[in-house]
Amino acid sequence: MLLRFFLMGLDRKAGIVLAILAFLAVVVPAMTLWVPADSPFHLSIFTVSLLGKYLCFALLALALDLVWGYCGILSLGHAAFFALGGYAMGMYLMRQIGPRGVYGNPLLPDFMVFLNWKELPWYWLGFDHFWFAALMVLVVPGALAFAFGWFAFRSRVTGVYLSIITQALTFALLLAFFRNDMGFGGNNGLTDFKDILGYDIQADTTRVALFVATVAALALSYMIASGVIGSKLGKVLVALRDAESRVRFMGYDTESYKLFAWTLSACMAGVAGALYVPQVGIINPSEFAPASSIEAVIWVAVGGRGTLAGAILGAVLVNMGKSYFTGALPELWLFALGGLFVAVTLFLPKGLLGLGAQLKAKLPGRKASTLPNAQPADQKGA
Amino acid sequence: MRRALRWLMAVCVVAATSTAAFAADLRPLVQALGSGGYSGTEKALAQLSEAGDPAAVPAIEALQAGDLYVRKADGTVVVARKAGDAFTLTDPLTRAALGEAPAGAVEKIRINNSLRRAISASLGALTLMSPDAGVRRSAADAVFKSRDASALETLSAAIAKEQDKGVRAAMEQARAAILLTGEAASKMTDADIQSATDTLTARGDRDALVLLNMVAGSGASDVTKKLAAAAVSTLEQKLAFWAALQNLWYGLSLGSVLLLAAIGLAVTFGVMGVINMAHGEMVMIGAYTTFLVQEFFRAHAPGLFDLSILVALPAAFLVSGGVGIVIERSVIRWLYGRPLETLLATWGLSLALQQAVRSIFGPTNREVGAPSWMSGAFELGGLTITYGRLWIVVFAFAVFAALLVALKRTWFGLSIRAVTQNRPMANAMGIRTARVDALTFGLGSGIAGLAGVALSQIDNVSPNLGQGYILDSFMVVVFGGVGNLWGTLVGALTLGTMNKFLEPYAGAVLGKILVLIFIILFIQRRPRGLFALKGRAVEA
């Protein structure tokens, strides 16, 4: 049953994506750990962490594509779910520090000692167990998304309004996590991690393992997402993206469909955040910044909205560009990113993956094939 | 606080100007401070008090602070302050610098407790009797704070002589404070206590409340306690009333800032349906235009600097409006009917504009000055209102009214509304819809530029100026109801006031979070905002 679910969404494109991911999962560890350092094929551990970071962003983009590309919900607050997952993981890593902090308090993280707190707040309890933290990585973003979506979809808040209140959500969380009394490290966030599952977080093998875990999470999420899209449920999602009221009039409970996709997407974003934090070594409130949510949207748009694979491609390409620009030409990065936003929306409405079809449509005598990301009818004049 | 500082400055100025004229008469008396030991000093002090010349105040203050010395070489009395190993010497009356002296060359004029009392009494007397009303006032305030019983006699004498109403009130308050807290309280009649508490209630500020609370807790007699407690409750009510009014004013002030920032968006988003994420950058461009105009005035006509803001207003409107028209023609017109794509494209533009301004003007804050008619403050009952804020409130409402008239009463406004309501029909009636689109977007952006002029007065002019307002502006427009200017007005004022009323209880950050949560929940109740456009379409 479950197997059939996963296989249902698999097509040629999915095969290519999974093959590439499998290739990465084998080759990158080999090139880092077993190829000698002076060989041209050696990958530095820094590169591995960088790649891992890109793939975390790719997972976030995948989650976003699921709701934007297939349900027509443009979330401008997905970074909030990403950051919440990250904080859940960060709390586990903080508790793993134990008495090795600057103040050597076995129970309290450094920032709490610094703030003169006497005991661990209740919401930190349980985070010394990995399984609990891992559960929270899914549950916290998922629960928030469920509650938010439950209200929003039931009141039929759609389109731009929904986008704007997702911005409000992430902004409110940004402000909240900046507060010291929240008990999440305030401005500085959580950092100085030592161990994960008993392994040194700085060690090469741990970092490679984290990379492999990221690849695996991405592959699994991809299979789940394409399984959902390929199922009957996915067909309803695409239908309500294109003409929500018609689907509702046909008797479908559109809110529940949207709520399911929305919550699933938030959980994926949470996992992405949880994998991101140990690889970059810090989580702070700036991850909640409204701008970072919007930036994630452009990854999806660049790769191709409603393609899943395009989201992964877009996230990796844009972030590689960002790494290059901010290093080599920091002045130009915002121009490049801004230009990318404009160029993609004006000239590449279907993203890089849709480029072929877009060109084909331009040729005389041929009609564009009906792509899943055809222009949603309801959005016209909205 | 600021008022106290100003009085203090006045004291210094007065002291400095009168110094030269009277220095000659006082010189022997000041000189006498340094001879004859404690009793000699005390005698000279009494004579200085009798002379009644405030010019002696700096010398007596130096004596009090232990900075008054005698130069051993010639016996001159000097003010000496330690600078490294040596002392810097100044003349106690003229404040002229007298060079430096090694530690051994000067001898401190020592004071004991009885002298200390004499010093504060004579200081109080000198300043309370000063010919300058400002000095007397600050002296009265100082006595109110110190509640020094020894000043009572001088104070009563001063009250009898006082002509200035305000100063006399301050002196009477000071006397009431001394009477209620001092030993004299037990001997007072009920009527006297009553009048003293009344005087303090009339003062009506936090200091009076603190004092009355103290008296109510540990007054000399039960009557005093009871009267003070009654006064406390009256005063608390009064203070709560003014605090509420002050909050209302702050709310109005914040609301008008929000209104200014959001009103341009109400045109581009509300009327045209374009999600312009670069709106904040239009505000920022307006602020930078103000900066450039002011630079021009500083360089070429510094005398007319007060008018720079008036020139900056049309300039900012034109610059931001022009940029808006360019954006509409180059990007937005290709994206009509695709609001989410417009959102992304304009977000990209906002990033590019920010970076462009950063590259041209640098990342640091730019200094934009306030014209003289916008600085300062005045008091209205228990409210302190700054002129800058007042002008912004007035300006916000003026812009709102002008926009309303433009949309409802002009041909251009009619065209805008026609195109919004039915584009093909408007086109068929001969309205050039493309041009109307461009001009409407230009209008919205231009208004954002006007907001930039106002915001440059209260915010840092930096490339990130706009980012701080964009989210708030959208909240205001969405909360108020898209497509309705009145909704924007009500939305801005409601959110501003709510924010300011929450702040005292929840703190600034938590208050803001609560407002955001409120908006999120409100949108669930009314997905189309406070004043939704009514229609029969399933999906608007």
Side-chain angles (χ1 to χ4, degrees), chain A residues 309-367:
Chain A
I312 298 176
L313 181 71
V316 173
L317 284 183
V318 174
N319 278 298
M320 279 168 69
K322 184 175 186 171
S323 300
Y324 169 73
F325 267 106
T326 45
L329 306 156
E331 286 270 296
L332 290 183
W333 164 242
L334 280 182
F335 284 125
L337 185 65
L340 195 63
F341 269 95
V342 178
V344 166
T345 44
L346 284 185
F347 306 117
L348 281 179
K350 294 177 172 63
L352 287 176
L353 285 196
L355 194 58
Q358 208 183 335
L359 289 178
K360 247 188 239 167
K362 285 263 162 72
L363 292 177
R366 299 192 63 165
K367 290 198 116 182

Side-chain angles (χ1 to χ4, degrees), chain B residues 215-235:
Chain B
V215 175
S218 62
S221 65
D222 286 345
V223 185
T224 322
K225 279 184 191 170
K226 217 177 83 191
L227 284 172
V232 163
S233 71
T234 324
L235 196 53

Side-chain angles (χ1 to χ4, degrees), chain A residues 68 72-74 76 148 151-153 155-161 163-165 167-169 171-172 175-176 179 243-245 248-249 290-291 294-295 297-298 301 305 330-332 334-335 337-339 341-342 345-346 349 375 378-382, chain B residues 269 273 275 277 330-332 334-335 337-349 351-359 467 471-472 474-475 478 481-482 506-507 509-510 512-513 516-517 519-521 523-525 527-529 538-540:
Chain A
W68 186 34
I73 306 167
L74 175 55
L76 296 182
F148 184 85
F151 286 116
F153 300 145
S155 333
R156 299 189 190 168
V157 180
T158 51
V160 178
Y161 293 88
S163 304
I164 289 174
I165 61 170
Q167 279 264 288
L169 174 74
F171 189 57
L175 293 176
R179 285 163 50 88
E244 184 169 349
S245 32
R248 190 180 295 131
F249 297 157
I294 301 182
E295 216 177 301
V297 173
I298 201 65
R305 177 188 164 195
E331 286 270 296
L332 290 183
L334 280 182
F335 284 125
L337 185 65
F341 269 95
V342 178
T345 44
L346 284 185
Q375 185 56 46
D378 278 1
Q379 281 195 11
K380 290 196 181 109
Chain B
F269 179 40
I275 319 276
M277 293 299 270
S330 57
V331 177
I332 291 174
W334 308 107
L335 298 170
R338 289 156 65 194
L340 299 180
E341 270 91 343
T342 322
L343 191 156
L344 294 181
T346 47
W347 175 259
L349 284 172
L351 292 181
L353 284 173
Q354 272 174 42
Q355 185 58 47
V357 168
R358 196 172 289 129
S359 302
Q467 275 198 318
L471 198 58
D472 285 336
F474 270 106
M475 293 302 153
V478 167
V482 174
V509 178
L510 200 59
K512 182 131 190 152
I513 295 172
L516 285 171
I517 293 172
I519 294 174
I520 293 176
L521 293 178
I523 294 296
Q524 319 296 335
R525 282 297 313 152
R528 293 280 175 264
V538 176
E539 265 147 21

Side-chain angles (χ1 to χ4, degrees), chain B residues 92-451:
Chain B
L93 290 172
T94 60
R95 300 198 174 181
L98 296 176
E100 291 197 354
V106 287
E107 194 182 351
K108 194 172 186 166
I109 302 177
R110 289 193 294 174
I111 51 177
N112 57 13
N113 277 342
S114 99
L115 252 177
R116 263 187 209 104
R117 275 194 295 277
I119 288 172
S120 15
S122 97
L123 270 181
L126 277 182
T127 44
L128 283 171
M129 298 295 183
S130 157
D132 182 87
V135 178
R136 296 200 301 273
R137 171 92 191 225
S138 61
D141 285 344
V143 175
F144 180 84
K145 289 220 166 59
S146 68
R147 300 192 294 275
D148 181 5
S150 64
L152 195 56
E153 217 165 296
T154 332
L155 200 56
S156 304
I159 291 173
K161 264 172 56 180
E162 186 58 57
Q163 301 293 321
D164 186 309
K165 241 170 125 184
V167 179
R168 191 164 58 222
M171 287 177 174
E172 275 167 355
Q173 287 155 12
R175 186 172 64 169
I178 297 173
L179 286 177
L180 282 177
T181 52
E183 288 161 9
S186 50
K187 292 178 218 123
M188 280 161 70
T189 63
D190 291 359
D192 282 348
I193 298 171
Q194 178 76 56
S195 86
T197 51
D198 284 352
T199 313
L200 286 180
T201 318
R203 182 182 165 103
D205 64 355
R206 294 246 153 241
D207 292 338
L209 183 64
V210 169
L211 194 83
L212 282 170
N213 252 325
M214 207 175 78
V215 175
S218 62
S221 65
D222 286 345
V223 185
T224 322
K225 279 184 191 170
K226 217 177 83 191
L227 284 172
V232 163
S233 71
T234 324
L235 196 53
E236 267 172 351
Q237 267 173 24
K238 201 167 135 189
L239 281 176
F241 171 72
W242 284 112
L245 268 192
Q246 185 82 55
N247 273 340
L248 201 64
W249 166 250
Y250 285 148
L252 185 66
S253 168
L254 178 67
S256 62
V257 168
L258 288 176
L259 178 65
L260 267 178
I263 195 166
L265 204 66
V267 175
T268 49
F269 179 40
V271 177
M272 295 177 79
V274 171
I275 319 276
N276 182 15
M277 293 299 270
H279 179 77
E281 277 55 48
M282 299 294 145
V283 176
M284 186 253 301
I285 288 173
Y288 271 92
T289 310
T290 317
F291 165 68
L292 285 179
V293 169
Q294 287 204 341
E295 284 298 287
F296 179 83
F297 269 84
R298 278 203 183 104
H300 298 287
L304 298 174
F305 185 75
D306 276 358
L307 299 177
S308 61
I309 290 283
L310 298 183
V311 177
L313 284 176
F317 183 82
L318 291 178
V319 172
S320 291
V323 174
I325 289 178
V326 170
I327 289 176
E328 201 277 342
R329 284 291 88 185
S330 57
V331 177
I332 291 174
R333 70 163 160 155
W334 308 107
L335 298 170
Y336 281 120
R338 289 156 65 194
L340 299 180
E341 270 91 343
T342 322
L343 191 156
L344 294 181
T346 47
W347 175 259
L349 284 172
S350 86
L351 292 181
L353 284 173
Q354 272 174 42
Q355 185 58 47
V357 168
R358 196 172 289 129
S359 302
I360 298 170
F361 293 98
T364 49
N365 292 346
R366 287 295 175 163
E367 171 74 26
V368 170
S372 59
W373 45 272
M374 276 185 80
S375 36
F378 66 96
E379 302 231 338
L380 189 77
L383 293 184
T384 311
I385 292 173
T386 53
Y387 281 108
R389 289 282 176 170
L390 182 69
W391 277 113
I392 286 176
V393 173
V394 171
F395 181 64
F397 281 94
V399 170
F400 178 79
L403 181 64
L404 209 60
V405 169
L407 282 182
K408 296 270 150 118
R409 292 273 181 271
T410 65
W411 174 252
F412 175 49
L414 186 64
S415 323
I416 292 178
R417 284 181 294 138
V419 172
T420 316
Q421 281 168 17
N422 194 329
R423 181 175 293 270
M425 191 61 81
N427 212 345
M429 301 296 283
I431 294 172
R432 283 196 270 178
T433 52
R435 216 173 79 172
V436 170
D437 284 338
L439 288 179
T440 315
F441 198 80
L443 175 69
S445 306
I447 294 176
L450 291 182

Side-chain angles (χ1 to χ4, degrees), chain B residues 47-54 126 129-131:
Chain B
Q47 284 168 337
L48 272 176
S49 302
E50 263 167 45
D53 184 350
L126 277 182
M129 298 295 183
S130 157

